[in-house]
Amino acid sequence: MERIEHRACFGGWQDVWRHESTTLGCTMNFGIYLPPQASAGNSVQKLPVLYWLSGLTCTEQNFITKAGAQRYAAEHGVIIVAPDTSPRGDDVADAEGYDIGKGAGFYLNATEAPWASHYRMHDYVVHELPALIEAHFPASDARSIFGHSMGGHGALVLALRNPGRYRSVSAFSPIVAPSQVPWGEKAFSAYLGADRETWKAWDACELIATASERLPLLIDQGGADEFLDKQLQPERLQAAADAAGHPFTLRRQPGYDHSYYFIASFIGEHIAHHAAALRA
Amino acid sequence: MERIEHRACFGGWQDVWRHESTTLGCTMNFGIYLPPQASAGNSVQKLPVLYWLSGLTCTEQNFITKAGAQRYAAEHGVIIVAPDTSPRGDDVADAEGYDIGKGAGFYLNATEAPWASHYRMHDYVVHELPALIEAHFPASDARSIFGHSMGGHGALVLALRNPGRYRSVSAFSPIVAPSQVPWGEKAFSAYLGADRETWKAWDACELIATASERLPLLIDQGGADEFLDKQLQPERLQAAADAAGHPFTLRRQPGYDHSYYFIASFIGEHIAHHAAALRA
């Protein structure tokens, strides 16, 4: 494992590390913000970790340069880990289009060729990456997860699939019903195949119906989001949560679009929400 | 004048406008953050304006996407305007290298061919742009200025050259002595010619000696800045300010580098500093 960026930021360090992922079979980068509390004094207390999952086309860089999260992570003493959005490298399958292949891993384990050999972002984010973080940094096993768009889908699905694994979950402008919108249908057809039954295990609207853990879901959705009607449709998850009696908060934010300007405006509230759960 | 971006951000709007600059003879973009106070109620009170000048290679985008300034501008009710760093377009002279030509206007009025016809960033930032801002937005004529690296040089020089024009000035990692460091020597040789006497009018260390206005200078400088020893050398301005009895605060911030991670960490303190002067 090699540190490739090391930047002082709000009294802590915004670092980027590169490592060989056994789960993905390729070299991966991840961002990690270590707040000032991570290096205070000699006896370092282990800190909780908040995982951020980015959206289509992103690498680990988008969140760490644009979200303005470091200020709040420093205030709350929380580590934030931001992985890349897909496996990378010349050996990894790709395809035309920003919404499939590299930069578009959808946080699932692919079953179909040519994707199945590397596209295992679920296992990477849920298992390999936390094991690495908790072994190499002053990180406790208190974990929460959030994300944006495809990464909002990822956060919801990973939390719903892995009860007990996360203390809290939230999302900005998530894809909540991938089985029923163009982005999801394209990705799931490729990664999971034509049998839509298999898609249900990766769809928050389906998973919430049978969730064994009632982890409250917090979602912020911009009212001027250019993808709202066609790709996001948060009312589908609202209906599924209502039907299941699952605690769910959907905050519609008028005027905000799909960009990091939206994320930056509310990231402080999300981090405070997670910090409260992580410290409880 | 055409609005090409319009993004809700911290209750206000981060916009980008495009216009034909008569001073520069080309089409220019600028970013403008309009805080919530700019659209509150029907009788809009005019708000003070803080100008940000970016460094080498930047456009108007770097600051508006990476500095995290909008939160603080919203808190203080200050408009922030971020121009591009040079004239642009196919008709505009350019040269090899990131530190000359496009993206490297150095906030001066060039006198030498082929630069003199378009490279007039001083007049653009000091005169044309504020006239435009104060005519088209709810902006008062209370102005302050700050910037980074080449833009820190720009902020210092524009404030020192134009007494009474700005209420306050600050800089991150500024080029303080362009006549004596490689970046400045290369740019000034091209834009101003071989006669170093003419350079003095664009060099903060020279201007401070004869400044008629004792506007306090606030500078933050990262201790791990990769350009510190060769290009920045803030101790030169410290010495010039001490000799002139000019109020000067140099804060060395250990561990911080030249990046926007450094800027983001202290931009809130700079905006608070300017807001106090603008409201006084």
Side-chain angles (χ1 to χ4, degrees), chain A residues 10-11 71-72 256-257 265, chain B residues 7 10-11 71-72 256 265:
Chain A
F10 283 100
R71 169 179 173 162
Y72 310 102
Y256 287 87
D257 68 10
S265 301
Chain B
R7 316 269 199 176
F10 284 99
R71 169 179 172 162
Y72 310 102
Y256 286 87
S265 300

Side-chain angles (χ1 to χ4, degrees), chain B residues 30 53 72 77 107 139 197 202 211 233 235 272:
Chain B
F30 64 86
L53 305 183
Y72 310 102
Y107 305 102
E197 275 303 306
W202 304 101
Q233 305 175 2
E235 60 278 6

Side-chain angles (χ1 to χ4, degrees), chain A residues 59-75:
Chain A
T59 69
E60 84 288 348
Q61 288 291 322
N62 303 66
F63 176 77
I64 68 177
T65 59
K66 294 184 175 180
Q70 294 92 350
R71 169 179 173 162
Y72 310 102
E75 282 177 10

Side-chain angles (χ1 to χ4, degrees), chain B residues 16-17 21 80 101 140 147 167 203:
Chain B
V16 177
W17 288 78
S21 166
I80 302 186
S140 75
R167 302 280 181 92
D203 185 313

Side-chain angles (χ1 to χ4, degrees), chain B residues 3 11 19 44 61 65 70 88 96 104 108 131 143 145 157 168 170 178 184 186 214 241 254 264:
Chain B
R3 191 174 67 190
H19 74 113
V44 173
Q61 289 291 322
T65 59
Q70 294 92 350
R88 299 284 179 178
E96 290 294 314
L108 52 70
R143 310 175 198 100
I145 193 162
V157 165
S168 52
S170 73
K186 179 175 178 180
R214 292 276 180 256

Side-chain angles (χ1 to χ4, degrees), chain B residues 8-73:
Chain B
C9 192
F10 284 99
W13 294 95
Q14 179 60 62
D15 294 345
V16 177
W17 288 78
R18 177 167 291 167
H19 74 113
E20 296 302 316
S21 166
T22 53
T23 305
L24 302 175
C26 67
T27 304
M28 293 291 288
N29 292 350
F30 64 86
I32 180 168
Y33 180 69
L34 297 164
Q37 297 86 343
S39 49
N42 291 321
S43 60
V44 173
Q45 194 192 348
K46 291 193 172 185
L47 300 175
V49 184
L50 181 49
Y51 290 85
W52 171 266
L53 305 183
S54 289
L56 289 166
T57 77
C58 290
T59 69
E60 83 288 348
Q61 289 291 322
N62 303 65
F63 176 78
I64 68 177
T65 59
K66 294 185 175 180
Q70 294 92 350
R71 169 179 172 162
Y72 310 102

